[in-house]
Amino acid sequence: MQGVSMTKVLAVSTDLWKPGQDYLQSIAQAVEGKLDKGDFIVVSEKALSTVLNNIIDESLAKPSLAAKVVAGPWMRLAWGYCLAFLCDFNGKLTQILRKYPYEMGSRHKQVVLEHAGLLAALMFGSEDGIDGSNLPYSYVSLPLRNGEEIAKSIREHVMSALGKKAFVMIVDTDKTYSVGSFHFTPRPTSVKGIHSFGGVASYVVGRFLNLRKRATPVAVAGCKIMAEQALKIAEAANRARGHGAGKTVWAMAERFGVGLDCVSWEMLETVKHKPIVIVRF
């Protein structure tokens, strides 16, 4: 598929996906009448993690000393006064880091330490694919560990329900950085040709060197695809999808005028959600 151009990128609106919902049926209904043979159905990893109940309530976490150190001096000082400059963060984000919420942040960092390790916990934002934006209260979604199996099940269900042979890609907004034909990301992915390593180091290097950055394809089903082509599809879908209720938990809370842990399911239901994007060549 190298060198083939996209002719259609269509974001499909749905209701807010909640834990336990029949996501296979929801996807089939959403793409019915819009899908051609050979299209890519690109699905948000966070939406899938939510519907699969692959989420954690951070209010129940008990912070360790390490989590408190990361949430306190590391986030407020190292990020707020040094790494934010190296990563070229804007002034508003820098101020957020300098006032990083200690208690809530400590619980969040404890969850990251337990599920992703120290290199991920030292990051700012979506650490190793762990993310709280577009989720209510103190919930965060975890990265899918069986992404390829889930992508395959989506493809098989669409084929069975609609008779359409499409490809499926699961995508996360966390970035993959590229130097020529070498692609790397701080978060896990099963897509061949994209290297996952380094945690905070990969993130800072990618930002500091101003490398090309695109959304990360997490898993693909139905075809073999070059990393560069997968990245093009992932980024096109990411741009079409938008940020839902907010790009970060701070933006989401600001949108609704509530505290960071006070956004409700009902608030999120008022926002247009686009967990699915159809990409055609």
Side-chain angles (χ1 to χ4, degrees):
M1 297 182 65
Q2 191 75 19
V4 179
S5 61
M6 286 170 277
T7 61
K8 178 180 180 180
V9 181
L10 174 65
V12 182
S13 298
T14 70
D15 294 333
L16 175 67
W17 287 4
K18 295 181 179 179
Q21 185 175 330
D22 186 348
Y23 70 97
L24 294 175
Q25 184 64 20
S26 296
I27 292 172
Q29 290 177 348
V31 302
E32 186 173 9
K34 305 177 179 71
L35 199 63
D36 281 351
K37 178 181 178 181
D39 285 353
F40 273 86
I41 302 171
V42 184
V43 189
S44 162
E45 182 190 42
K46 186 185 302 177
L48 288 170
S49 281
T50 301
V51 79
L52 290 166
N53 206 27
N54 188 35
I55 59 177
I56 287 182
D57 184 355
E58 291 188 335
S59 68
L60 303 177
K62 296 181 179 179
S64 62
L65 176 60
K68 293 177 181 179
V69 171
V70 173
W74 175 258
M75 295 304 297
R76 292 182 174 183
L77 300 178
W79 270 105
Y81 290 91
C82 180
L83 295 177
F85 173 76
L86 293 178
C87 292
D88 195 29
F89 285 172
N90 60 41
K92 183 176 183 180
L93 182 52
T94 300
Q95 289 304 313
I96 286 175
L97 288 168
R98 292 176 181 178
K99 299 177 181 178
Y100 192 80
Y102 179 69
E103 292 186 7
M104 191 182 305
S106 295
R107 293 193 294 270
H108 174 64
K109 292 301 182 182
Q110 181 62 35
V111 169
V112 178
L113 284 168
E114 292 175 2
H115 291 271
L118 180 60
L119 287 178
L122 293 176
M123 285 182 60
F124 161 73
S126 181
E127 304 96 331
D128 206 48
I130 299 173
D131 193 3
S133 59
N134 288 286
L135 280 168
Y137 308 118
S138 298
Y139 286 106
V140 293
S141 63
L142 300 179
L144 297 171
R145 300 303 181 186
N146 57 338
E148 289 182 301
E149 295 177 14
I150 295 170
K152 183 179 179 181
S153 68
I154 294 171
R155 181 172 188 265
E156 290 174 347
H157 183 80
V158 169
M159 192 182 306
S160 173
L162 306 180
K164 297 289 187 180
K165 291 185 177 181
F167 309 129
V168 175
M169 181 182 293
I170 299 173
V171 169
D172 182 33
T173 56
D174 282 7
K175 302 305 180 185
T176 291
Y177 300 92
S178 300
V179 183
S181 60
F182 182 77
H183 314 288
F184 66 95
T185 177
R187 60 145 299 144
T189 175
S190 64
V191 177
K192 292 183 178 180
I194 300 178
H195 307 277
S196 303
F197 63 87
V200 64
S202 291
Y203 180 84
V204 172
V205 168
R207 295 277 311 192
F208 176 68
L209 296 179
N210 196 26
L211 300 180
R212 186 180 186 186
K213 57 183 184 293
R214 289 168 286 183
T216 300
V218 174
V220 179
C223 68
K224 293 182 178 180
I225 186 170
M226 300 291 288
E228 177 62 30
Q229 195 71 18
L231 286 164
K232 288 180 180 178
I233 294 170
E235 183 61 17
N238 184 53
R239 290 177 180 274
R241 179 179 292 117
H243 300 297
K247 186 176 182 180
T248 66
V249 291
W250 286 273
M252 183 174 64
E254 183 179 358
R255 175 178 186 145
F256 294 113
V258 297
L260 290 175
D261 58 351
C262 296
V263 175
S264 67
W265 288 111
E266 291 74 22
M267 291 175 186
L268 292 174
E269 285 177 334
T270 67
V271 177
K272 185 177 292 185
H273 295 273
K274 301 175 181 179
I276 304 164
V277 179
I278 297 172
V279 177
R280 179 173 302 159
F281 291 88

